[in-house]
Amino acid sequence: MSATENRLAVLFPGQGSQEKGMGRELAEASAEAAQLWTMAEKASGLPLREIYWEGDETAMADTRSLQPAMTAVTLGLWFHLKSKLSPLVGFAGHSLGEYAALAASGMVEVPAVFELTSLRGRLMAEAAGGDGRMAAVLKLSLTDIEDVVRQAAESTGKILLVANYNSPGQYVLSGEAEAVEAAAALVKDKKGRAVPLAVSGAFHSPLMAEPAAELEKALRRAGLRAPSVAPVYHNVTGRPEPDAAQALDLMCRQMTSQVRWIDTLAALWQAGARTFVELGPKGVLTKLLAANLKECGEPYTGVSVAKPADAAALEA
């Protein structure tokens, strides 16, 4: 396979990929990785290493700690392995993971990304007092899901939308609780499956407008630069945005906008990516590749790297 055929895309996972002990092996072996945890703990004011190396599932699921901690893990892997990850088509991160992508690309300073993810985690946790819910929908076509959303929203008079386009066959609904529950019943009627998500609000929906406005202030203070390593493919459009001002506008919309992961992977493929390297625990994004790329008609490689020992897969 030539260098052109083997061009890389680097993927960063988001919430839901956390696991106990994540990032520990690398941080104990690398001063650079340990420094990222220090930055994350300073920005968040939380004992992140204690939570994720010694804590329980409940503590690890708290978005206030999870967002800066996951960013420390994924960026640690990037800095440890970046010399092996070329030639690069671009970066993409799923929801929270887009912030790691920004830092890896050179669009935002590393200390600033921990300030942003700590604030984002806190704002999203504070949104838990609202009426928002999310549910993954499996085994239905997008046409059927859009019909479910329309019917549930009309019958309840509540906000509901498709928030995540993860892959053909896997979508996520977000909205007010009554509408999400009505949609789940309709999904069952259509022989699909609705799985409630353990999240604290209706993320990637208009119900996040208030916390998004607070996050926008911090984003505009931090600012974005043009990417210096490779472009970031944004959740809001599924495409790269080389203009820093336009990219900043997209990030300001991210919390209330849909995650267009299907479009993101399609755009990376069209740009020449044939190897997709996920940096982070569990390999959630790697598992989504098959459904997204099955019609592309060419071979591809998906590699999940959660710890230094997994890097051997990159050589293969």
Side-chain angles (χ1 to χ4, degrees), residues 43-61:
S44 66
L46 297 169
L48 300 178
R49 279 170 281 197
E50 179 181 333
I51 293 170
Y52 288 92
W53 297 355
E54 309 293 345
D56 59 23
E57 293 291 333
T58 300
M60 289 192 297

Side-chain angles (χ1 to χ4, degrees), residues 146-166:
E146 289 173 339
D147 186 50
V148 163
V149 168
R150 179 186 57 78
Q151 290 185 51
E154 288 179 356
S155 67
T156 62
K158 302 293 185 181
I159 293 172
L160 183 68
L161 75 159
V162 181
N164 292 15
Y165 295 79
N166 288 337

